Amino acid sequence: MDLKGITYSRRKMRLLLLLLFTTGFLNVTVALRNFIRGRSKGGNLGTPLLFKEHAWLPKEQWFTQMLNHFDSTNARTWKQRYFQNTEYYKPDGPIFLLIGGEGAAQAKWMVEGQWIEYAKQHGAMCFQLEHRFYGKSHPTADMSVKNLVYLNSEQALADVAYFIESMNEVHNVSDDVKWIAFGGSYPGSLAAWMRVKYPHLVHGAVSSSGPVLAQIDFQQYYVVVENSLREYSKACVDAIVAANKQFHIMLRHPIGQKAIVQKFNLCDPIDPGHTKRLDISNLYETLASNFAGIVQYNKDNRNNSRMANLTIDATCDILTNQKLGVPIDRLAQISNLILNASKEKCLDFRYDKMIHELRNVTWNSEGAEGGRQWIYQTCTEFGFFQTSTARPNLFSETFPVEFFIQQCIDIFGPRYNIDLLNDAVKRTNTMYGALKLEVSNVVFVHGSVDPWHALGITTSLSPKATAIYINGTAHCANMYPPSEHDPPQLKAARAQVGQLIDEWLKN
């Protein structure tokens, strides 16, 4: 074959490889796991379980928003999605706003949820505003690093401020109308920060499970996970420790590695000659995240089907049932239950494949569901890295801070290192006040089972900045539609929040 023919053949081969690469036949794509960086697919608030049938759900609407609120020379705009419900509104009533976060806005939140019960009581108009870069609210053509500079809490708060000003004009409401902001998880932080930054626009805020302290090494997260499991059963924690010891021993031997692949239905073999240390760290963190997700959303009345709707009780019952085999077999059963619930064929633990998916900047990628965006915010504003180093006996020592910093670098580039994040976290805490917010008309609600409460305000700052700490409840539990099965302390907390809202609206 002549040189021209060889060149042509090589071009054909490149095109074939590109086709295989993009269509997934080379197995380079990966299903991102259901729980990553303390975030569940769909966002930490997610979708509520509706206890009633509804004849209608409000349709999505669009609001013209500025791309950069802090550059008066930048006139670029984009369309931000929101929902509205005026069914309960009475003339001169207040306006309630559910702030969106690290997931798509959900119309179901406009017809049920505890904030809707408060709206019925006060004749409030209700809005839900989707957070920029999440859901369908795409401010830029893609999620490249140059565009993600517009994704941060400051821009999000300014979005809320401009939305409030615009809705006041559109609906011709009086100047003394009172807006109450609601938010759960990261939006819980935003709700409180709206009172810090824009008190002239937001009269009060209900901040549920909001972490207001930015922290790189979030060691306390898995401490709370262990404590929550231990409170149910010490034998449950002992079973996890025993299972991980067996797992660690099996990883050292070829026969054991093959058994792990089979028991946990791994997508790829464990080959000590080629498997990177980061693969093993990723595998350990994936298994630990199973328990994190179960604890974080324990009995919270949300649609948690991706986590097989497992509760702490059900999980510990499996882990302590010796009839189901040795501890590692029971650990595998928990993992496979979650894997099957999420309709994944196998557990993908390869670090490079995960990074490859999270590098995808297009809006039609799996990472665009919120994973890439949320990881960017943790790498540039908050940290929140749920490390294993405080509980190495339970979840191994394989995913320390360095493991997460490496992800920031590998996904976004070398400048996203520990030095950048140190400065970013310091800036976030300085800008908002961390655990010493100077604020009024805010209630901070946290559950003792929720690991995020460790970065939240759980003790009242003042008579007008109240904290409610609910024993035995999980992440954002007070926000979901109430159920007759809710514990009395959760019912009491909802009532207390309602009383505070009453007081704010009267003053």
Side-chain angles (χ1 to χ4, degrees):
M1 183 181 293
D2 59 16
L3 183 60
K4 184 176 180 180
I6 292 173
T7 302
Y8 177 71
S9 296
R10 285 176 177 171
R11 287 176 179 169
K12 286 182 65 178
M13 180 59 70
R14 288 196 201 101
L15 289 172
L16 177 59
L17 287 173
L18 179 62
L19 177 63
L20 291 171
F21 185 83
T22 56
T23 55
F25 286 113
L26 287 182
N27 197 31
V28 295
T29 58
V30 57
L32 293 177
R33 65 175 188 254
N34 298 306
F35 196 82
I36 187 169
R37 297 283 177 95
R39 174 192 180 272
S40 179
K41 277 190 177 179
N44 272 345
L45 188 59
T47 306
L49 288 173
L50 299 186
F51 293 112
K52 307 171 186 175
E53 290 188 7
H54 297 271
W56 67 280
L57 290 174
K59 295 181 180 180
E60 62 186 21
Q61 300 185 59
W62 300 90
F63 171 71
T64 301
Q65 188 66 268
M66 298 296 296
L67 177 64
N68 188 349
H69 294 285
F70 308 106
D71 180 3
S72 59
T73 66
N74 188 339
R76 292 172 61 187
T77 61
W78 58 284
K79 297 292 186 180
Q80 188 170 21
R81 189 166 73 130
Y82 73 94
F83 293 98
Q84 179 182 8
N85 183 352
T86 59
E87 182 179 1
Y88 317 114
Y89 182 64
K90 296 178 182 178
D92 299 323
I95 301 180
F96 288 177
L97 172 64
L98 182 62
I99 300 176
E102 69 295 342
Q106 302 287 345
K108 290 182 179 180
W109 276 109
M110 303 305 296
V111 294
E112 282 194 46
Q114 186 58 42
W115 79 302
I116 293 296
E117 299 305 313
Y118 300 141
K120 293 176 182 177
Q121 296 168 17
H122 295 285
M125 184 185 302
C126 297
F127 290 99
Q128 180 185 181
L129 182 65
E130 191 169 69
H131 195 294
R132 58 169 57 203
F133 283 91
Y134 293 96
K136 296 181 180 180
S137 295
H138 301 166
T140 54
D142 60 31
M143 296 180 294
S144 58
V145 172
K146 69 176 183 178
N147 286 330
L148 288 178
V149 296
Y150 300 110
L151 170 59
N152 55 63
S153 57
E154 287 177 277
Q155 296 284 3
L157 292 173
D159 285 343
V160 175
Y162 276 86
F163 179 80
I164 290 174
E165 290 277 25
S166 178
M167 291 301 108
N168 282 339
E169 294 178 6
V170 169
H171 296 279
N172 195 27
V173 298
S174 61
D175 293 337
D176 58 352
V177 66
K178 294 176 179 177
W179 284 73
I180 305 295
F182 296 80
S185 196
Y186 162 51
S189 309
L190 295 176
W193 293 338
M194 280 300 298
R195 279 291 295 162
V196 174
K197 295 296 183 180
Y198 300 96
H200 59 293
L201 296 177
V202 172
H203 184 69
V206 179
S207 172
S208 299
S209 299
V212 294
L213 173 65
Q215 182 173 290
I216 296 175
D217 190 354
F218 189 9
Q219 284 191 339
Q220 307 99 306
Y221 187 93
Y222 276 108
V223 173
V224 178
V225 170
E226 178 179 343
N227 290 343
S228 299
L229 293 168
R230 188 183 297 277
E231 187 172 337
Y232 178 78
S233 167
K234 179 180 181 298
C236 181
V237 174
D238 292 342
I240 299 173
V241 172
N244 275 294
K245 283 182 178 179
Q246 292 178 337
F247 192 91
H248 190 64
I249 292 170
M250 292 171 70
L251 273 176
R252 298 176 181 176
H253 304 283
I255 295 177
Q257 293 163 3
K258 292 180 180 178
I260 288 175
V261 172
Q262 184 177 15
K263 289 178 184 292
F264 290 86
N265 196 19
L266 303 186
C267 297
D268 295 292
I270 299 173
D271 185 344
H274 298 88
T275 299
K276 299 178 181 178
R277 173 180 54 84
L278 291 172
D279 289 339
I280 300 303
S281 296
N282 202 39
L283 177 55
Y284 270 112
E285 202 231 338
T286 300
L287 297 178
S289 292
N290 287 340
F291 293 101
I294 290 165
V295 169
Q296 184 166 308
Y297 299 118
N298 185 58
K299 300 179 181 178
D300 62 358
N301 295 346
R302 71 173 266 159
N303 182 357
N304 203 20
S305 57
R306 285 182 177 271
M307 296 297 293
N309 287 318
L310 283 170
T311 62
I312 292 175
D313 306 18
T315 300
C316 286
D317 288 346
I318 291 172
L319 289 168
T320 56
N321 187 348
Q322 297 184 11
K323 295 180 181 179
L324 298 176
V326 296
I328 195 169
D329 292 334
R330 298 171 234 159
L331 181 67
Q333 182 166 337
I334 297 295
S335 177
N336 290 325
L337 281 172
I338 294 173
L339 198 64
N340 293 334
S342 59
K343 299 180 181 179
E344 303 296 343
K345 294 181 179 179
C346 57
L347 193 157
D348 206 324
F349 69 101
R350 292 292 194 189
Y351 178 83
D352 287 347
K353 290 164 72 175
M354 178 185 75
I355 296 300
H356 169 79
E357 181 59 38
L358 290 169
R359 282 177 177 169
N360 193 328
V361 303
T362 63
W363 287 113
N364 61 357
S365 65
E366 186 175 5
E369 179 276 331
R372 176 175 168 85
Q373 302 96 303
W374 180 239
I375 290 178
Y376 178 82
Q377 288 196 264
T378 64
C379 291
T380 57
E381 285 192 90
F382 306 125
F384 294 161
F385 300 151
Q386 296 98 29
T387 61
S388 63
T389 45
R391 286 295 181 267
N393 290 333
L394 193 64
F395 297 119
S396 89
E397 71 290 344
T398 59
F399 47 102
V401 164
E402 292 76 13
F403 174 65
F404 298 97
I405 294 295
Q406 190 62 52
Q407 291 179 40
C408 296
I409 293 171
D410 290 340
I411 296 169
F412 303 112
R415 69 180 295 264
Y416 293 86
N417 53 35
I418 187 64
D419 293 330
L420 181 147
L421 187 54
N422 274 323
D423 292 341
V425 164
K426 181 179 179 180
R427 181 178 184 276
T428 298
N429 289 329
T430 301
M431 184 167 52
Y432 297 126
L435 298 177
K436 299 179 180 180
L437 277 70
E438 292 289 338
V439 72
S440 63
N441 285 9
V442 177
V443 57
F444 304 92
V445 188
H446 289 278
S448 66
V449 176
D450 176 24
W452 288 101
H453 83 253
L455 298 183
I457 293 172
T458 56
T459 303
S460 296
L461 300 175
S462 71
K464 292 189 176 183
T466 306
I468 301 175
Y469 186 66
I470 316 170
N471 187 44
T473 61
H475 198 62
C476 301
N478 63 297
M479 294 188 66
Y480 295 99
S483 165
E484 60 182 13
H485 303 295
D486 290 334
Q489 63 270 27
L490 176 55
K491 295 178 181 178
R494 289 189 176 119
Q496 186 178 352
V497 171
Q499 292 170 1
L500 289 169
I501 295 173
D502 288 342
E503 295 174 9
W504 299 340
L505 294 177
K506 289 176 182 177
N507 297 321

